[in-house]
Amino acid sequence: MAETHAAPSGPKPRLRWIIRVGVGVFGIILAVGTVVRIHDRHQLHAMNVAALVPSVTVVHPGGHAVDTLVLPGILQAWYSAPVYARTNGYLRKWYVDIGQKVESGQLLAEIDTPDVDLQLAGARAALGTRTAQRDLARITSRRWDRLNAENAVSQQETDERRGNLAASEATRHEAAAEVERLETLSAFKRIIAPFTGVVTSRATDIGALIVAGTAASQPLFTVSDVTRLRLYVRVPQAYAARMREGFVAHFTVPDYRNRQFEAHLLRSSDAVDSQSGTMLVQLIYDNGENLLKPGAYAQIAFTFHGPEPQAPPTVRIPASSLLFRKDGTTVALVDGHDHAKIQPVSILIDFGTELEVTGLTLQDRIITNPPDDIGDGDPVKPREGRHNG
């Protein structure tokens, strides 16, 4: 009897096909999901990396600093002499007061000096005595010279008389010198002006005790020549090389706010003070109108026409761009590849919100308000800002 085989049921091949399709679709889904997750991870990493790159504002340096340098100064008289007493006594009378003009040699005051007058009278009496003794010694010496010529006296006795004459002559000179000293001292009771000028102080009055030659002595008067005034200014070292004789500066004073005065540089100290870093400069002002007063405060404006030819180029930068590191004063720049570059600079002048420095060019891009931890080569995202320099 022949064997018979059952035919395969219809659904089984279709099921296998469905399973294969499902596995393929699942694989595709799994692959696509994996790719998407990897892409998202890379994108998130890139975003995190981009978030770590700081955004900075950059500006370009300004040109050379303002041409006008304004500094404070003090006006002083061309000559100013405190007039002291040279003899003791009491003030008898004064003839001039503050603000009065005086001529050279004019009498300012008189001092009553009874002690000096009595000493002078005694010295003159002593001089008369020494003169009489000298005259007697001269007569005696001549008499003994004649007797010695006749061999009536010894040479020893004659020499003694000559010696007495020389001693008397010397004593008389000493007395005459004392008279001259006291006469000179007595002449000092007349206080006179040393030169033509204005009396700027008077520190005495009638009956005041005058004590001369002590550390506590004060000047009775002060006479000042105000036809010309000296103007002293301390100039920063960066401008010291430009201070040359004849340089013209302009200045103002508080009592003439709307008027400018012109002064000429007379000379400078040619030395920089190590503590302040400045050089003392003296200017001269012709005070022919007698408008300005010695001791007054002034603001002097020095106007320069461009930088010094041999000086290094200077630019202006915001004060907020400075970095203070252990290597010195620096700024942070942005190079052509948007990376930070730390550049040392030297500060010449501080204008407050701006600084004049060397070590930069007008083409540099400076980071304003840089992060304290910014380093050389750090990537940055620059955006242009505005700098009014």
Side-chain angles (χ1 to χ4, degrees):
M1 183 170 152
E3 295 180 0
T4 59
H5 297 281
S9 59
K12 288 183 179 180
R14 181 179 296 176
L15 180 60
R16 287 195 297 270
W17 182 83
I18 292 174
I19 292 174
R20 290 172 183 168
V21 171
V23 170
V25 171
F26 178 76
I28 293 172
I29 294 173
L30 182 62
V32 171
T34 302
V35 171
V36 170
R37 285 195 298 272
I38 292 175
H39 178 267
D40 290 344
R41 183 180 300 173
H42 283 293
Q43 189 175 12
L44 180 62
H45 177 71
M47 292 175 61
N48 291 334
V49 171
L52 293 177
V53 177
S55 296
V56 295
T57 303
V58 297
V59 296
H60 292 280
H64 181 70
V66 290
D67 292 333
T68 301
L69 174 66
V70 180
L71 297 171
I74 298 296
L75 289 165
Q76 294 188 14
W78 186 251
Y79 295 124
S80 183
V83 181
Y84 289 85
R86 290 288 292 122
T87 185
N88 299 330
Y90 296 91
L91 192 75
R92 177 185 296 174
K93 190 174 182 181
W94 53 266
Y95 299 98
V96 295
D97 206 350
I98 58 173
Q100 287 187 243
K101 294 183 178 180
V102 294
E103 299 295 329
S104 177
Q106 181 177 336
L107 182 63
L108 305 180
E110 288 183 301
I111 302 174
D112 190 8
T113 58
D115 293 345
V116 175
D117 293 342
L118 290 175
Q119 292 175 19
L120 178 58
R124 285 171 175 167
L127 176 60
T129 301
R130 298 294 184 272
T131 302
Q133 291 174 348
R134 189 274 314 269
D135 293 342
L136 178 60
R138 180 181 295 167
I139 294 171
T140 303
S141 177
R142 291 175 180 175
R143 183 180 296 121
W144 282 81
D145 285 341
R146 290 194 300 268
L147 293 174
N148 183 54
E150 299 173 356
N151 293 323
V153 294
S154 66
Q155 184 65 39
Q156 176 65 32
E157 292 174 317
T158 302
D159 292 340
E160 289 176 358
R161 298 308 181 272
R162 292 174 180 173
N164 290 338
L165 173 59
S168 298
E169 189 70 39
T171 305
R172 196 251 176 207
H173 286 319
E174 181 181 2
E178 179 65 12
V179 170
E180 291 179 3
R181 185 185 72 84
L182 290 172
E183 286 177 344
T184 302
L185 196 60
S186 179
F188 284 135
K189 61 186 178 183
R190 290 171 51 86
I191 308 299
I192 62 174
F195 48 79
T196 300
V198 177
V199 177
T200 55
S201 74
R202 177 180 61 84
T204 188
D205 213 335
I206 295 176
L209 175 64
I210 307 299
V211 180
T214 65
S217 298
Q218 292 186 351
L220 306 182
F221 301 90
T222 301
V223 179
S224 301
D225 179 4
V226 296
T227 56
R228 291 182 295 175
L229 296 178
R230 303 178 193 267
L231 189 55
Y232 289 98
V233 191
R234 290 199 169 272
V235 177
Q237 181 180 353
Y239 288 90
R242 305 188 189 185
M243 296 297 146
R244 298 185 177 92
E245 183 177 345
F247 189 95
V248 177
H250 296 85
F251 67 95
T252 58
V253 292
D255 39 343
Y256 294 97
R257 296 181 181 274
N258 299 323
R259 181 168 177 177
Q260 273 195 344
F261 300 91
E262 185 176 285
H264 298 265
L265 195 147
L266 183 62
R267 58 178 57 90
S268 64
S269 63
D270 277 341
V272 176
D273 182 35
S274 58
Q275 295 184 348
S276 63
T278 59
M279 182 180 70
L280 183 63
V281 171
Q282 178 183 243
L283 299 99
I284 180 174
Y285 167 70
D286 185 0
N287 195 29
E289 298 180 79
N290 198 28
L291 295 177
L292 306 185
K293 312 303 179 187
Y297 169 83
Q299 277 197 325
I300 303 94
F302 295 92
T303 302
F304 305 100
H305 301 285
E308 190 72 10
Q310 298 179 352
T314 61
V315 295
R316 279 179 296 160
I317 63 173
S320 60
S321 61
L322 284 186
L323 287 170
F324 298 97
R325 303 288 175 88
K326 64 179 181 179
D327 298 332
T329 305
T330 60
V331 296
L333 307 179
V334 177
D335 61 15
H337 302 286
D338 290 345
H339 286 81
K341 177 184 177 183
I342 306 302
Q343 177 69 31
V345 295
S346 297
I347 300 176
L348 296 182
I349 302 176
D350 187 347
F351 294 103
T353 58
E354 289 186 339
L355 304 169
E356 181 179 342
V357 301
T358 60
L360 299 175
T361 66
L362 296 175
Q363 289 73 35
D364 289 329
R365 294 191 295 171
I366 305 172
I367 300 176
T368 61
N369 298 305
D372 293 335
D373 58 348
I374 193 169
D376 205 6
D378 290 350
V380 293
K381 291 188 293 184
R383 61 174 182 270
E384 291 290 334
R386 291 186 61 186
H387 175 43
N388 296 327

